[in-house]
Amino acid sequence: MNLSAENKSGEKPLALNWLTIFGFILGIVFLTGEVIIVTADIMYGGENPYTGILIYLVGPAILTASLLLVPLGIGLEYRRRKKGIPSQKLPTFDLNHPRHRLYLTIFTIVTTIFLAFTMIGSYKAYHVTESVGFCGLTCHQVMKPEYEAYQHSPHARVACVKCHIGPGASWFVKSKLSGAHQVIAVLRQSYKLPLDTPIVNLRPARDTCEQCHWPEKFSPALEKSLVYYGTDEENTPYQVDILLRVGGSQGEGRKAKGIHWHIGLDHKLEYYASDDDRQIVPWVRVTHNDGSVEEYVDSDAQDFDPGSIPPESIRTMDCIDCHNRPSHRYQSPFSIVNAALAQGAINPQLPEIKANLAELLQKDFKTTSEALLGIEKTLRERYADIIAKDASRQGDVDQAIQEAQRLYSQNVFPEYKVDWTKYPSNIGHFEFPGCYRCHNDRHQEVKTGKKISNDCNLCHTIIRQGEGWDAIQNLEYKQQSFNHPRGYGDGWMGQNCHECHGPGMM
């Protein structure tokens, strides 16, 4: 092909055709734009993941497509000439001609309006695709339980993409590629309920969580007050106040302390889980910055060989290993009823209200609508005699019904086979193993025999506790040993909390 001004036959160059010229102009425009916005991105940065997508994915894709039009146009022009079709003449444009000036004016006005609407539409589309509603409903309707739980979580004001993707285009691509099979499963409706967790290829917490929470700023200790109501007729309360040793790293080179020692900067903590839910942890390794290594193996893990662990299965511990349900919490009936009673959303003076609600909120209903009707019907029947004797209690019963229905709608989804028992929470150790996955007094260091302790005071100290309506009004502030309520005395010792308070036990 001769791309010079004119070949021997007098024909114009092959590049002088509509498609090639259009592709060349479009490529120049997008190349200029890319240079400008990439420079701005490098200089000023950006937190939104979709910014990187537009700059580093969409822009280059359009630029590449436009440049491909150049050889495509040349090829088509060559084939046309080989067939003997005369060369196309390019139109002439003369600004001295009144009609040509009119055409230019019309073209400029129409193009300006088109570009304006295109920018507005792109801006709106950009915000729609990054919205929580798009992620929770439009794009992932199968995740309705996750969406509902998210709206009542501590991170309800944090957009989904901030945690699931984070800034930059690279992790957007990784997340979409890893979820491609999920999209196919949704289209084919071949997915299983409840949905599996944890997410295998979730971005490391230091790229997402630690944009807001970082080890150097964790508090040394925090006071937390908990109230538990009994399932007796009086709903007898038990209050325990604890001092949580939150801790963390106070800076590079300083020793990490407290609960957040696990993600401290002076060492690296790794573990291997032998199950998909990461609930069984037979092996732990701690590598200190001075090069020393501690390796712990669970003595109850029969025939377990640390040398057989696949390297890709070793996980470096981060926030998500304990805070594994940070934004999608399905809370147990007992915890949500305790909170409602403590906050006054339900009157604790209603006889046996704790027992009744705990029973109804874990009853096996087939649908949500059936559950809401069943909750109302049962409570009205059980408190009919009380209302008959004292009509003023009608308001308390109505309020209890409304609150129970709300709590059920936010935490139980029978159509999706989702409730609090399906997704273990690793925070604490009350209803699930959590801390006890490693802190069970069985993990021994292979060289020294030292054990990972399960001493309660490692993480928290009881500073107040008492049982009964009168007792909790004046609790003494002092460090003390745990006194199990409901008359259990020392009967609880030797057992982990979740063995009595976990799924199927209450």
Side-chain angles (χ1 to χ4, degrees):
M1 300 180 188
N2 187 357
L3 300 182
S4 59
E6 190 171 305
N7 57 28
K8 294 180 180 179
S9 62
E11 291 183 332
K12 294 180 179 179
L14 294 175
L16 291 180
N17 63 81
W18 281 102
L19 191 59
T20 297
I21 293 173
F22 174 76
F24 184 76
I25 294 174
L26 191 64
I28 291 297
V29 170
F30 270 92
L31 178 60
T32 304
E34 278 291 294
V35 170
I36 294 172
I37 58 179
V38 167
T39 302
D41 183 61
I42 293 174
M43 292 178 62
Y44 303 106
E47 292 295 324
N48 196 296
Y50 287 97
T51 302
I53 297 164
L54 293 172
I55 295 174
Y56 299 108
L57 290 179
V58 178
I62 296 176
L63 177 60
T64 302
S66 63
L67 293 179
L68 287 176
L69 293 179
V70 174
L72 179 61
I74 293 174
L76 293 175
E77 178 66 13
Y78 177 76
R79 290 185 59 187
R80 187 180 61 78
R81 294 186 186 183
K82 288 283 288 184
K83 294 179 180 180
I85 302 175
S87 299
Q88 294 178 329
K89 292 184 178 181
L90 296 177
T92 58
F93 187 79
D94 186 0
L95 288 177
N96 293 314
H97 198 293
R99 181 170 292 182
H100 288 186
R101 291 198 300 271
L102 176 62
Y103 291 158
L104 178 61
T105 302
I106 295 174
F107 174 80
T108 303
I109 294 173
V110 171
T111 301
T112 302
I113 295 174
F114 173 76
L115 290 176
F117 277 101
T118 299
M119 288 187 290
I120 293 172
S122 300
Y123 176 80
K124 292 293 184 181
Y126 158 75
H127 281 284
V128 168
T129 55
E130 72 164 356
S131 69
V132 171
F134 180 82
C135 296
L137 297 175
T138 305
C139 192
H140 301 291
Q141 192 171 7
V142 70
M143 294 184 67
K144 178 183 177 182
E146 300 286 305
Y147 176 66
E148 290 293 333
Y150 156 81
Q151 294 183 91
H152 305 95
S153 76
H155 294 94
R157 294 188 179 184
V158 180
C160 304
V161 295
K162 291 288 188 180
C163 295
H164 284 271
I165 299 177
S170 61
W171 272 95
F172 173 84
V173 176
K174 292 180 182 179
S175 66
K176 295 308 177 185
L177 289 177
S178 66
H181 70 281
Q182 299 170 4
V183 175
I184 296 172
V186 170
L187 293 175
R188 296 177 57 188
Q189 295 187 343
S190 59
Y191 53 86
K192 294 186 297 183
L193 294 174
L195 299 176
D196 292 332
T197 60
I199 300 174
V200 177
N201 295 316
L202 192 65
R203 190 169 187 173
R206 282 180 174 160
D207 293 343
T208 54
C209 306
E210 291 188 18
Q211 300 300 307
C212 297
H213 317 275
W214 58 99
E216 296 90 337
K217 298 300 179 183
F218 289 143
S219 303
L222 293 174
E223 186 175 325
K224 188 173 184 179
S225 181
L226 303 167
V227 181
Y228 301 92
Y229 293 84
T231 53
D232 56 338
E233 184 175 359
E234 292 79 21
N235 309 302
T236 303
Y238 164 75
Q239 180 175 328
V240 57
D241 295 354
I242 58 178
L243 195 64
L244 284 172
R245 305 180 190 278
V246 179
S249 294
Q250 298 304 311
E252 194 73 39
R254 298 185 183 181
K255 188 176 180 179
K257 298 180 180 179
I259 299 171
H260 286 126
W261 169 89
H262 298 82
I263 56 170
L265 302 175
D266 59 343
H267 63 274
K268 180 171 72 171
L269 177 59
E270 300 168 294
Y271 73 93
Y272 165 71
S274 59
D275 66 323
D276 293 336
D277 293 333
R278 300 176 185 163
Q279 296 301 296
I280 303 174
V281 182
W283 177 87
V284 177
R285 179 170 65 195
V286 183
T287 304
H288 298 277
N289 288 350
D290 61 6
S292 60
V293 178
E294 299 175 17
E295 188 175 353
Y296 297 84
V297 177
D298 189 342
S299 58
D300 281 4
Q302 300 296 327
D303 301 323
F304 173 73
D305 179 15
S308 65
I309 300 175
E312 66 274 10
S313 299
I314 296 177
R315 178 175 171 81
T316 300
M317 195 169 194
D318 68 8
C319 307
I320 298 301
D321 290 292
C322 292
H323 299 268
N324 64 319
R325 307 297 301 177
S327 302
H328 308 285
R329 299 180 177 181
Y330 306 107
Q331 301 183 71
S332 74
F334 315 101
S335 62
I336 55 179
V337 173
N338 279 330
L341 290 168
Q343 294 166 5
I346 299 173
N347 190 342
Q349 300 304 317
L350 277 176
E352 296 184 329
I353 189 62
K354 168 67 182 293
N356 286 328
L357 293 186
E359 173 195 338
L360 289 170
L361 291 176
Q362 61 182 331
K363 189 174 180 180
D364 188 18
F365 293 104
K366 294 182 179 179
T367 65
T368 300
S369 58
E370 177 187 331
L372 301 184
L373 291 173
I375 290 172
E376 180 176 9
K377 180 176 181 295
T378 302
L379 290 179
R380 293 201 184 282
E381 289 175 352
R382 293 185 181 180
Y383 290 98
D385 291 343
I386 292 178
I387 294 174
K389 295 177 183 178
D390 184 359
S392 64
R393 306 308 297 272
Q394 179 70 60
D396 291 336
V397 174
D398 290 341
Q399 184 177 357
I401 291 171
Q402 293 175 8
E403 184 66 10
Q405 291 175 328
R406 184 185 70 84
L407 294 174
Y408 187 95
S409 299
Q410 293 177 6
N411 292 278
V412 187
F413 304 85
E415 297 90 342
Y416 296 84
K417 301 181 182 179
V418 170
D419 61 29
W420 73 286
T421 66
K422 300 301 188 299
Y423 298 110
S425 172
N426 295 331
I427 284 291
H429 48 70
F430 187 68
E431 296 170 336
F432 294 99
C435 309
Y436 291 136
R437 293 176 297 162
C438 300
H439 290 271
N440 49 27
D441 211 28
R442 299 195 311 266
H443 285 70
Q444 289 184 308
E445 212 281 318
V446 295
K447 295 179 180 178
T448 64
K450 181 178 66 173
K451 292 183 178 181
I452 298 179
S453 176
N454 65 347
D455 182 2
C456 300
N457 289 315
L458 280 175
C459 298
H460 52 69
T461 300
I462 296 176
I463 53 178
R464 281 186 291 258
Q465 65 178 325
E467 183 178 17
W469 289 103
D470 295 331
I472 65 174
Q473 301 303 317
N474 298 290
L475 297 179
E476 183 180 5
Y477 190 107
K478 67 176 183 178
Q479 183 174 341
Q480 52 197 287
S481 299
F482 176 57
N483 182 21
H484 199 294
R486 324 303 181 207
Y488 278 87
D490 294 336
W492 62 276
M493 298 187 71
Q495 300 181 76
N496 293 331
C497 303
H498 72 279
E499 293 175 0
C500 290
H501 296 280
M505 302 304 297
M506 297 181 69

